[in-house]
Amino acid sequence: MQQIIAIRAFRRSACVAFVALASLALSACQPAGDPINSPYADGEEHENTLFTAFTQRSPRYLDPARSYSSDETPYTYNIYEPLYGYHYLKRPYELIARAAKAVAQPTYFDASGKVLPLTAPPDQVHESVYEIKLTPGIRYQPHPAFAKSADGQYLYYPLAPGALVDRYAITDFPQTGTRELTAHDYVYAFRRLASPRVASPIYSTLAQHVVGFAAFGEQLKAQDATQRESLAPGENQLPWLDLRTDGFDGVQALDDHTLRIRVNGSYPQFKYWLAMTFTAPIPWEADRFYSQAGMVDHNLSLNTWPVGTGPYMMVESLQNRRHVLARNPNFRGEPYPCEGEPGDRARGLLKDCGKMTPFVDRLVFNIEKESIPLQGKFMQGYYDLPQASRGDIGVSMLVAASDSVERAALYEERGIQLPTTVEASIFYLGFNMLDPVVGQGDTPEQAEKNRKLRQALSIVFNWEEYIAIFQQGQAQPAFGPVPPGILGYQEAPEGVNRTIYDMVDGKPKRKSLAQAKALLAEAGYPNGRNAQTGEPLVLYFDSAAGTGGSSPSLDWMRRQFGLLGIQLDIRATDYNRFQEKMSRGVAQMFMWGWIADYPDAENFLFLLYGKQIKAGKGGENAANYQNPDYDALFVQMRDLPDGPEKEAIIDQMVKILQHDAPWMFGFYPKSGGAYQQWVYNAKPTQMVRNTLQYVRIDPALRVERITQWNQPIWWPLLLLALVLAVLVWPAWRTLRRQQTRTALTRANSEERS
């Protein structure tokens, strides 16, 4: 029995030793200097390909009429070409032409059709007409929707029954074609925005401004309803809604390269909508191609396989796994900018001046469902940037580096670039101006007292400290509603909120607690108590965090109000309940934010326009603030073109808000990118969406660094071999002793016999 046990022990140990030695042998087969854990296909890291990631799910809508999510923009803005875009480097943001020859100035007409000068008062402008010239020779990407036979017939329309068998990607269609971009494609795109089958989130906004757009939308609704009613019982495939036949006067093609758009009144912000992919061109051939029966069932649509004229096109789409954009062979190329904001040259952002973009041949997006593997692969060099659509990863890494000497040293050693920028967005603490305690009041006397209360609270609420603690320093205190990068923003000292700050040695310094207490006493609450009743002042803050009223940030807020002797009662709820209370105007104080759709001060100042109040009207003025002087200036400012006159009016409006204090202006958050050392021309921004067009990489340096950072580590295997030897040796000796005893016993037995 002992002999059997010894033999089994020896066999087990020998087996383990064999596996270890086999592992050593397999590792030895790895080419010298190559990493052993690369996720790339053979040689893929050597190619001019940029690797990044996405999380959770694939982009839901790549149809430009529906796409409105930031995780979709790295695809849509690199595939489609709106008429306009934004200069990649300049700040404040500058509108530039993309598919258009130039950014067109509108022609103003009065109600009688007479042409007005651009300096005409906005209230005289009945209609603004934009005539936009397209750059000739722009061509669509290769796509089967354009494929034709020798006799000019479309190859893939109509498709024969069964033609979609085993076709789940555009690359499954062997024949492709192309054609020139025309003004008719932009007309078709506008018409499509009004289609009830598309349900574009931007249609209702544009319908208020574009001549005849709302009526056209009603016409399409009726046409769609008629087609639905005509379906046979059991049939669910609607015929193609051909938008070439009927149109409206507001958007027309004067010829193949001239687009005319008519806008009601004076609306200078309209030009920014032409820089969004909502108004990107749609070829009717693609719309018709994807309308065929069975296409949606095979995941073939504009939502998954876009058709554009931009620098890239979709060539691989594995839902919730991997997406690949490749250089559009029909793209004409665009020169890299030669100008930027101060400091861009020193940061090396102008070295590629005049070179044709895009620089990268392929963009590969792989899914990473967990943040730790994503971060790990980025630090190993397998991702060039973690996520193209997010600006918080770089900020998180900066914060981590500030908290850890080891991490900071690792980032520096690996040359990780972590640039940041203040974004065109704001977070603020708002007062409900309908509230009797913190609001505008029913009488001038009460209005003045409540204003002083808001001013006292705004002084004591130390946003600099809040940013340092809860934003890890990655934000800029706001003096008003207009953020940096937007016309109308002013730096210190001109833009400083003098209601809240004093200028000391040329720098803004928050007013003292004593000054805040003096204002509080003038408001009728000395030491935080009602001067008439002696009762403590209790204020209410509605939190959508759902934390039960307790969290580090909420506790910090209580302490800030407590400096004035004021009690802060937190009313925590979920976001749906919070929104419902906001719509009814019953929340006393709240915290909210706004991210700009376009870089114009109007996009922030309208948040406090009286006709935009949220309570009862559903507007975006969540504070329900109304001031006749401010509203009159807003209407005047809204219709002015950019220039000194507009800036002067914005300055007046901001000063009114600083005095009235309907918001504690809070902070402008920063976003930041994270880029490997072999990534060039990286400048983080949430406003410019086609950034990947300008990024350049050095694949040779990437391969060198990946190899350096991911070398095989041999000593654990050698140690394992030594441990195995120690384990095997006793078993081998036991077996040899047993064999010796057995042999002696047999010999003695034979000798006796």
Side-chain angles (χ1 to χ4, degrees):
M1 187 66 176
Q2 289 180 349
Q3 182 180 7
I4 293 174
I5 294 174
I7 291 173
R8 287 178 176 172
F10 177 76
R11 286 176 176 171
R12 284 196 299 269
S13 301
C15 182
V16 173
F18 175 79
V19 171
L21 292 173
S23 299
L24 284 168
L26 289 172
S27 299
C29 293
Q30 182 75 20
D34 280 3
I36 62 173
N37 56 345
S38 173
Y40 297 126
D42 289 344
E44 199 174 19
E45 69 271 24
H46 295 264
E47 299 171 358
N48 185 24
T49 299
L50 184 142
F51 296 94
T52 186
F54 64 97
T55 60
Q56 303 304 319
R57 61 174 178 84
S58 289
R60 186 176 182 184
Y61 297 120
L62 297 184
D63 182 336
R66 299 200 66 181
S67 176
Y68 209 7
S69 177
S70 61
D71 66 337
E72 296 156 359
T73 57
Y75 307 91
T76 55
Y77 280 83
N78 285 287
I79 292 173
Y80 297 107
E81 274 190 296
L83 291 161
Y84 303 151
Y86 295 104
H87 194 286
Y88 180 48
L89 300 178
K90 287 185 179 180
R91 306 290 184 272
Y93 293 101
E94 179 182 311
L95 200 67
I96 62 171
R98 286 193 71 182
K101 273 189 173 182
V103 176
Q105 289 291 336
T107 301
Y108 293 147
F109 294 87
D110 66 13
S112 65
K114 178 184 175 181
V115 176
L116 299 172
L118 288 176
T119 55
D123 59 357
Q124 295 182 13
V125 178
H126 176 71
E127 191 170 288
S128 305
V129 177
Y130 295 80
E131 287 197 4
I132 304 167
K133 295 288 186 180
L134 299 187
T135 300
I138 297 176
R139 302 190 70 79
Y140 281 99
Q141 67 181 71
H143 194 276
F146 303 117
K148 292 183 179 181
S149 61
D151 60 358
Q153 298 299 310
Y154 286 95
L155 290 175
Y156 299 112
Y157 189 92
L159 287 172
L164 288 178
V165 173
D166 296 329
R167 287 180 173 175
Y168 292 89
I170 289 301
T171 50
D172 293 332
F173 296 82
Q175 302 298 319
T176 62
T178 185
R179 69 163 172 82
E180 186 182 19
L181 169 72
T182 72
H184 302 280
D185 299 324
Y186 287 96
V187 173
Y188 196 92
F190 266 93
R191 293 175 182 176
R192 196 167 170 271
L193 290 175
S195 172
R197 299 183 188 178
V198 174
S200 173
I202 208 63
Y203 164 69
S204 61
T205 299
L206 291 182
Q208 299 174 39
H209 299 288
V210 179
V211 172
F213 206 11
F216 179 70
E218 294 303 315
Q219 176 185 327
L220 287 187
K221 282 184 183 178
Q223 187 176 345
D224 176 66
T226 300
Q227 288 190 352
R228 292 179 185 275
E229 290 172 0
S230 64
L231 289 176
E235 185 181 0
N236 57 13
Q237 179 62 37
L238 286 167
W240 174 46
L241 190 62
D242 188 353
L243 301 177
R244 293 175 298 167
T245 54
D246 296 316
F248 61 104
D249 293 339
V251 183
Q252 295 178 320
L254 301 185
D255 56 49
D256 283 352
H257 298 102
T258 307
L259 180 70
R260 183 172 69 186
I261 305 175
R262 297 167 55 195
V263 175
N264 294 313
S266 174
Y267 181 45
Q269 292 76 26
F270 178 75
K271 61 183 179 288
Y272 296 118
W273 294 109
L274 302 182
M276 299 182 187
T277 52
F278 289 119
T279 56
I282 295 292
W284 66 268
E285 297 95 332
D287 193 37
R288 186 182 70 169
F289 173 80
Y290 286 126
S291 71
Q292 299 181 81
M295 283 285 183
V296 173
D297 295 335
H298 284 238
N299 210 24
L300 296 170
S301 72
L302 284 173
N303 282 324
T304 50
W305 295 96
V307 186
T309 63
Y312 292 100
M313 61 184 188
M314 186 77 75
V315 296
E316 183 180 337
S317 182
L318 302 176
Q319 291 298 297
N320 300 323
R321 287 175 54 195
R322 172 182 163 102
H323 302 283
V324 179
L325 303 185
R327 185 190 293 268
N328 175 7
N330 297 333
F331 185 65
R332 64 203 174 279
E334 291 178 352
Y336 186 85
C338 294
E339 298 178 273
E341 64 177 328
D344 280 351
R345 185 174 301 277
R347 289 189 286 268
L349 291 173
L350 297 178
K351 288 183 179 179
D352 287 322
C353 162
K355 296 179 182 178
M356 298 305 288
T357 66
F359 294 118
V360 176
D361 293 334
R362 295 168 75 242
L363 309 172
V364 175
F365 301 79
N366 289 312
I367 192 166
E368 291 289 349
K369 295 184 178 181
E370 302 293 338
S371 61
I372 293 178
L374 173 58
Q375 292 275 358
K377 289 179 183 178
F378 176 65
M379 292 308 299
Q380 289 175 286
Y382 295 126
Y383 285 125
D384 302 309
L385 59 153
Q387 280 186 261
S389 63
R390 291 178 56 184
D392 57 342
I393 293 181
V395 170
S396 299
M397 293 180 70
L398 271 174
V399 172
S402 65
D403 292 339
S404 168
V405 175
E406 294 80 5
R407 196 177 294 271
L410 178 61
Y411 294 164
E412 183 177 1
E413 173 194 334
R414 302 211 165 176
I416 302 296
Q417 306 172 68
L418 299 171
T420 61
T421 186
V422 178
E423 283 300 344
S425 58
I426 188 171
F427 281 88
Y428 63 90
L429 192 149
F431 298 100
N432 180 9
M433 302 304 281
L434 302 177
D435 184 82
V437 178
V438 300
Q440 289 180 262
D442 296 327
T443 65
E445 294 78 13
Q446 189 61 47
E448 180 63 21
K449 287 186 175 182
N450 289 3
R451 180 186 297 112
K452 290 183 176 181
L453 171 61
R454 295 193 301 272
Q455 291 174 349
L457 294 171
S458 299
I459 290 171
V460 79
F461 199 99
N462 192 324
W463 285 104
E464 288 80 6
E465 185 176 303
Y466 183 94
I467 290 168
I469 297 173
F470 302 109
Q471 298 296 312
Q472 292 79 40
Q474 298 303 308
Q476 176 180 319
F479 299 137
V482 182
I486 306 295
L487 182 75
Y489 169 78
Q490 289 188 331
E491 296 276 2
E494 290 81 6
V496 170
N497 186 348
R498 300 305 177 96
T499 302
I500 309 302
Y501 294 88
D502 293 320
M503 292 301 295
V504 179
D505 298 329
K507 296 181 179 180
K509 182 180 180 181
R510 187 171 290 273
K511 290 181 182 291
S512 67
L513 178 61
Q515 290 170 291
K517 286 184 174 181
L519 282 170
L520 187 66
E522 293 174 20
Y525 302 101
N527 298 315
R529 291 183 175 272
N530 190 303
Q532 297 179 348
T533 66
E535 295 181 354
L537 175 61
V538 180
L539 298 179
Y540 301 93
F541 177 80
D542 275 84
S543 169
T547 58
S550 180
S551 72
S553 61
L554 295 176
D555 292 342
W556 179 88
M557 289 173 61
R558 289 189 181 96
R559 291 194 296 272
Q560 298 296 296
F561 282 66
L563 294 173
L564 293 174
I566 296 173
Q567 298 178 27
L568 183 65
D569 187 353
I570 307 295
R571 293 174 169 175
T573 184
D574 60 49
Y575 192 63
N576 289 337
R577 172 64 175 157
F578 172 78
Q579 287 185 306
E580 188 268 331
K581 294 180 73 173
M582 295 297 294
S583 67
R584 292 193 295 116
V586 296
Q588 189 177 63
M589 293 186 298
F590 58 92
M591 192 177 291
W592 229 341
W594 185 260
I595 301 174
D597 290 312
Y598 47 84
D600 192 289
E602 180 266 349
N603 199 233
F604 290 91
L605 296 173
F606 94 107
L607 297 172
L608 290 157
Y609 178 43
K611 291 187 177 180
Q612 277 284 335
I613 63 171
K614 183 171 285 292
K617 294 188 176 180
E620 296 297 342
N621 181 353
N624 301 304
Y625 172 70
Q626 297 182 76
N627 181 314
D629 294 335
Y630 177 88
D631 289 350
L633 288 170
F634 176 82
V635 172
Q636 186 180 353
M637 177 277 309
R638 178 187 60 191
D639 297 330
L640 285 173
D642 291 347
E645 183 181 359
K646 183 175 180 176
E647 284 190 273
I649 294 176
I650 292 172
D651 184 56
Q652 293 180 57
M653 296 173 68
V654 170
K655 283 182 167 54
I656 290 174
L657 296 176
Q658 290 173 338
H659 176 67
D660 278 355
W663 290 359
M664 298 183 192
F665 291 106
F667 60 89
Y668 311 122
K670 289 183 179 180
S671 70
Y675 309 95
Q676 299 287 1
Q677 59 181 274
W678 53 82
V679 177
Y680 303 94
N681 304 330
K683 185 170 184 175
T685 170
Q686 296 295 306
M687 186 64 65
V688 183
R689 307 289 173 80
N690 59 321
T691 57
L692 296 179
Q693 176 179 342
Y694 303 104
V695 169
R696 179 169 58 84
I697 63 171
D698 183 346
L701 181 58
R702 173 172 62 196
V703 171
E704 180 182 328
R705 292 293 181 262
I706 287 176
T707 302
Q708 176 186 342
W709 299 340
N710 298 278
Q711 282 298 301
I713 301 174
W714 297 105
W715 67 262
L717 292 176
L718 296 175
L719 179 60
L720 177 60
L722 179 60
V723 170
L724 289 172
V726 171
L727 291 174
V728 169
W729 174 250
W732 182 81
R733 289 189 61 189
T734 301
L735 179 62
R736 291 294 297 166
R737 289 172 181 165
Q738 186 64 39
Q739 289 174 336
T740 301
R741 285 197 295 269
T742 301
L744 289 173
T745 302
R746 184 181 296 114
N748 291 334
S749 176
E750 291 175 352
E751 187 175 321
R752 284 196 298 270
S753 63

